[in-house]
Amino acid sequence: MSDIVRIARALDFAARKHVGQKRKGAAGEPYINHLAEVALLVAEATEGRDTNLAIAALLHDTIEDQDVKHEELAAEFGKDVADLVAEVTDDKRLPKEERKRLQVETAAARSNRAKMLKIADKIANLRSIRSSPPSHWSKERKEAYFDWAARVVAGCRGVSPKLEALFDELHRLGPG
Ligand code: ZN
């Protein structure tokens, strides 16, 4: 199957799976906006050379948020894509604080491509907090998110100067 067909299929799959989901921000953007943003970030960072990584970016929250199974992703998009998504998926059986701690602790052990995906995800999240924060979030909560994201990204460094510079600039600016 051609790359363009695979990417279009991933976009369609993600749009259907996340159809009722919105971002947490006050603007309540459709969730697919987040997935498109992360896919664009990794596609540009790899100069279009890693189709599977862009596809995994479109699908990166399907297991975590929509209970899609690894086997389903593997059957539709191949094992490489399914493994990448699994690598950036939190274990939802654990409490939230534990999941956040594990993201920091396990970041360095991930593959370079999963690290790129993680950094792109955090870039998109920091941008969202700056442009449309959840209405009930205090300044302290936004700052705590920025600092936690920086701790996750600290374990992901050395994989993409471009993504790391984008993240660092956002972190320097702060939640605003
Ligand atoms: Zn995400």
Side-chain angles (χ1 to χ4, degrees):
M1 201 186 298
S2 75
D3 282 354
I4 187 67
V5 172
R6 296 180 67 236
I7 292 166
R9 281 175 68 141
L11 182 57
D12 179 66
F13 184 95
R16 287 171 194 277
K17 291 291 182 187
H18 293 277
V19 66
Q21 194 179 352
K22 297 198 179 305
R23 290 288 273 165
K24 277 187 290 214
E29 300 98 334
Y31 206 80
I32 193 77
N33 286 42
H34 169 66
L35 305 170
E37 184 177 1
V38 176
L40 176 61
L41 282 165
V42 297
E44 288 187 336
T46 57
E47 292 169 354
R49 282 191 288 258
D50 193 341
T51 303
N52 279 356
L53 185 58
I55 290 173
L58 286 171
L59 303 170
H60 80 269
D61 282 323
T62 53
I63 295 178
E64 193 168 308
D65 292 343
Q66 300 302 330
D67 283 324
V68 173
K69 299 286 174 266
H70 180 278
E71 304 79 73
E72 184 178 1
L73 291 182
E76 293 277 340
F77 302 103
K79 185 175 180 300
D80 183 48
V81 167
D83 287 351
L84 275 168
V85 175
E87 258 201 282
V88 298
T89 297
D90 285 353
D91 184 347
K92 278 247 166 143
R93 293 168 300 185
L94 300 171
K96 186 155 185 242
E97 284 312 308
E98 175 70 358
R99 298 201 316 257
K100 292 190 79 170
R101 192 184 63 76
L102 277 173
Q103 278 204 38
V104 175
E105 214 164 80
T106 59
R110 301 202 187 289
S111 68
N112 286 351
R113 292 156 83 215
K115 286 177 183 173
M116 291 183 72
L117 190 39
K118 264 289 169 211
I119 301 170
D121 192 29
K122 295 297 183 258
I123 290 169
N125 288 345
L126 295 199
R127 283 178 180 164
S128 290
I129 288 171
R130 285 176 55 78
S131 64
S132 169
S135 51
H136 59 287
W137 278 30
S138 64
K139 190 165 177 9
E140 290 70 36
R141 184 157 179 194
K142 291 182 219 168
E143 278 166 359
Y145 187 93
F146 269 56
D147 287 341
W148 168 73
R151 292 204 299 281
V152 175
V153 168
C156 298
R157 288 190 185 270
V159 296
S160 170
K162 196 167 173 174
L163 289 174
E164 289 158 46
L166 276 173
F167 179 88
D168 290 342
E169 176 62 7
L170 283 162
H171 187 261
R172 190 187 65 75
L173 290 169

